[in-house]
Amino acid sequence: MKFTHLMIDLETMGTAANAPVVAIGAVYFDPDTGTLGETFDAAIDVEDAVRYGRVSGSTIKWWLGQGDAARQKIVRGRHPSQLVFEKFYEFCLKHGDGVKPWGNGASFDITILDYAFGRILDKPAPWKFWNVRDCRTIKELADGIVKFTGTLEGVAHTALDDAKHQAEWVSVYWQGLRKPSAAPAAVITASPSDDFDF
């Protein structure tokens, strides 16, 4: 099966675009059916990761406040950043160059990856900017219309577990919002006399 949608979740040592990436989790999925495809799960050596970004003190405090299982996941990495990013770049193109990457926040996962691909591999991210998708937007659109009752399987704040969970609820919202409505959608048009001066 060919997938175009790719859910991505990062574990980082900061929240800005230049945050060091210590883990990447990703799963291909089909939002029309909820089917999950191939996965990517890699942890980067923390010492190597910080060479390519700026650590945030508040993020370190946040990680120290998480459970043992989550903290262990961010220090498990043994691979250098360049190797992990090369493998992830290839994974993103597994189904062609039309991949639609999803991140949980318009300015987090994908923005950090855009910066990191340039900094670590000296090349742009393997997707077209117009294909980027945002989980938070679809969640807000579905609020009060579609209900998701699933629970996270695995460890919270673990990249792959979070990515799978996000793919599941995005698929539920996607399907619910795309169901044919009983009533035809209203069409709103602006007449030439409408005043749109700003």
Side-chain angles (χ1 to χ4, degrees):
M1 180 176 182
K2 183 174 180 178
F3 292 90
T4 55
H5 293 266
L6 179 64
M7 183 62 71
I8 303 170
D9 189 75
L10 303 179
E11 304 308 337
T12 67
M13 299 303 291
T15 56
N18 62 350
V21 177
V22 294
I24 303 174
V27 58
Y28 278 103
F29 73 108
D30 179 358
D32 288 320
T33 64
T35 303
L36 301 184
E38 304 98 326
T39 62
F40 184 91
D41 184 22
I44 296 168
D45 178 74
V46 174
E47 283 189 65
D48 189 68
V50 299
R51 293 174 51 221
Y52 297 100
R54 184 169 180 174
V55 176
S56 159
S58 61
T59 303
I60 291 174
K61 285 182 187 176
W62 183 86
W63 275 115
L64 290 173
Q66 301 310 302
D68 288 341
R71 286 200 310 269
Q72 287 303 311
K73 289 283 189 177
I74 65 157
V75 296
R76 68 187 165 112
R78 299 290 178 266
H79 302 298
S81 300
Q82 188 166 11
L83 175 63
V84 169
F85 271 83
E86 284 172 353
K87 295 293 184 187
F88 186 56
Y89 191 95
E90 294 169 7
F91 181 79
C92 290
L93 297 174
K94 190 172 183 117
H95 295 276
D97 64 359
V99 63
K100 295 177 180 175
W102 287 77
N104 195 16
S107 62
F108 191 73
D109 303 272
I110 306 303
T111 299
I112 291 171
L113 286 172
D114 283 338
Y115 173 86
F117 276 115
R119 178 93 165 94
I120 297 166
L121 298 185
D122 196 25
K123 57 185 176 182
W127 47 70
K128 298 171 178 70
F129 70 86
W130 57 83
N131 278 337
V132 173
R133 305 290 188 260
D134 174 39
C135 297
R136 293 181 196 272
T137 302
I138 195 169
K139 187 174 185 177
E140 184 173 358
L141 283 170
D143 186 37
I145 302 170
V146 185
K147 187 173 183 182
F148 176 72
T149 57
T151 56
L152 174 72
E153 293 181 16
V155 178
H157 310 303
T158 298
L160 182 56
D161 292 344
D162 284 348
K164 286 180 177 178
H165 186 58
Q166 289 163 198
E168 289 168 2
W169 57 257
V170 162
S171 295
V172 169
Y173 295 148
W174 177 282
Q175 292 165 39
L177 291 170
R178 290 168 70 97
K179 277 183 186 172
S181 160
V187 177
I188 300 172
T189 59
S191 69
S193 61
D194 287 339
D195 186 3
F196 288 110
D197 291 336
F198 291 100

